[in-house]
Amino acid sequence: MNSLLDPEVPAGAYDRFLIDALPRARSRRAWTPEDGPLPALYLSHGAPPLFDDGPWLRELFEWAQSLPKPKSVLIVSAHGEAAPLCLSAPAAHTPLVHDFGGFHPRSYTMRYDTPDATSLAHRVAGAMPDGESLYQHPSRGLDAWVPLMAMYPLGDIPVLQLSLPTHDPGRLLELGARLGPLREEGVLVIGSGFMTHGLPHLTREMLTRGEVPRWSSDFDTWVADALARGDVDVLAAFRTGAPGMPYAHPTVGHYIPLFVTLGAAPRADRAVRTTVEGFMMGFSKRSFQTAV
């Protein structure tokens, strides 16, 4: 029996998705100043299995289609932890980071050739306060490219990745606040992670039947409630206050990018709009966008 981990045609769902998505992406209206600031996003995403999940691909694409096409994209990713702050290489055709293993060889030959992002790099640097170090990496590639291939399959939007410099929610909220004004220039600010990410606790039932463990569903319910109330203090106390811990997040990198997203909003304590929910292999796909 074929599954996300053993598809009949590797990335075949992505190939089918592109048939409809590419013409629609070409006709999508670009952002203009009259649109006002873009929302900030928190994006849960998988790695190669996303290319074999047709419904999830379409969810991400429809989310992108509901927004004006951004001038550029800035991602703070769970897989790019570094301090001081570090930006990925800005040149066109930035290489991709394949920080996963054990998948079909096609997963390592996918391309996402984005345009030059030097202008965005200058704007991000300008958003940092005096004394804040920001290293422009000459060769660091993109690791959060898989969902962008669903959201913006043409690959015609400049993309930069900013490192996750700390695990402290308060400091990440401050970082988001510095980046928030970029939304008024058509920059889409994204915190990239996975709402539950207990990889060490994967079971056969999760992999083959999509069974959702209690630690994942309980954490998802808890975070949905806190987000709906705009309760940033509760969200920040996840290590001791959230059910399902530490199983839902044995390491916290896939959860804490949401504080950059909330910080980039006009007010971090306003309710967000959930755009994707449900589970993939037992992990919560919950994603959201902030009010503008």
Side-chain angles (χ1 to χ4, degrees):
M1 178 179 179
N2 296 114
S3 68
L4 290 179
L5 294 180
D6 183 27
E8 183 177 356
V9 178
Y14 186 70
D15 295 334
R16 293 188 294 274
F17 156 79
L18 288 178
I19 295 171
D20 174 66
L22 288 177
R24 292 181 60 196
R26 292 189 184 100
S27 64
R28 187 66 189 128
R29 180 179 64 82
W31 177 89
T32 67
E34 288 71 29
D35 291 310
L38 289 168
L41 313 185
Y42 172 79
L43 174 62
S44 292
H45 66 86
L50 178 57
F51 291 128
D52 298 298
D53 191 330
W56 197 3
L57 289 167
R58 290 188 290 274
E59 280 185 297
L60 291 172
F61 180 71
E62 294 300 338
W63 185 8
Q65 288 291 99
S66 73
L67 303 170
K69 182 178 179 179
K71 291 181 62 177
S72 53
V73 174
L74 178 66
I75 295 182
V76 179
S77 170
H79 289 190
E81 296 188 41
L85 284 168
C86 175
L87 278 171
S88 60
H93 311 297
T94 301
L96 303 182
V97 176
H98 300 86
D99 52 355
F100 46 76
F103 295 99
H104 188 275
R106 186 181 180 190
S107 303
Y108 306 92
T109 62
M110 305 288 272
R111 297 185 62 85
Y112 194 61
D113 293 321
T114 52
D116 184 274
T118 301
S119 177
L120 177 59
H122 291 325
R123 292 297 299 118
V124 174
M128 297 299 109
D130 292 341
E132 178 77 52
S133 297
L134 179 66
Y135 176 63
Q136 178 69 71
H137 204 293
S139 59
R140 165 73 184 181
L142 302 174
D143 64 59
W145 51 275
V146 173
L148 293 182
M149 289 183 66
M151 298 177 79
Y152 302 106
L154 296 175
D156 59 348
I157 301 174
V159 178
L160 273 182
Q161 187 168 304
L162 182 65
S163 68
L164 192 66
T166 177
H167 289 176
D168 179 71
R171 291 179 58 195
L172 293 175
L173 287 166
E174 292 172 0
L175 175 60
R178 296 173 196 161
L179 302 175
L182 297 177
R183 300 180 303 107
E184 301 173 9
E185 303 172 21
V187 178
L188 188 64
V189 178
I190 301 177
S192 162
F194 218 140
M195 195 58 82
T196 59
H197 197 251
L199 278 178
H201 310 296
L202 270 173
T203 65
R204 181 181 299 274
E205 291 73 22
M206 292 168 66
L207 289 170
T208 61
R209 299 204 299 266
E211 180 179 285
V212 180
R214 187 70 177 269
W215 51 259
S216 185
S217 60
D218 284 354
F219 188 95
D220 178 67
T221 299
W222 171 85
V223 79
D225 175 71
L227 287 169
R229 292 183 289 104
D231 199 330
V232 180
D233 291 337
V234 165
L235 292 166
F238 68 97
R239 289 181 177 87
T240 57
M245 288 295 291
Y247 298 96
H249 290 285
T251 57
V252 302
H254 283 78
Y255 172 75
I256 57 177
L258 70 78
F259 293 106
V260 178
T261 300
L262 295 176
R267 282 181 48 185
D269 61 352
R270 292 183 63 183
V272 303
R273 182 170 76 83
T274 297
T275 52
V276 178
E277 55 188 338
F279 297 85
M280 189 277 287
M281 293 192 299
F283 296 151
S284 168
K285 302 189 298 182
R286 185 170 298 279
S287 301
F288 63 84
Q289 68 182 51
T290 65
V292 295

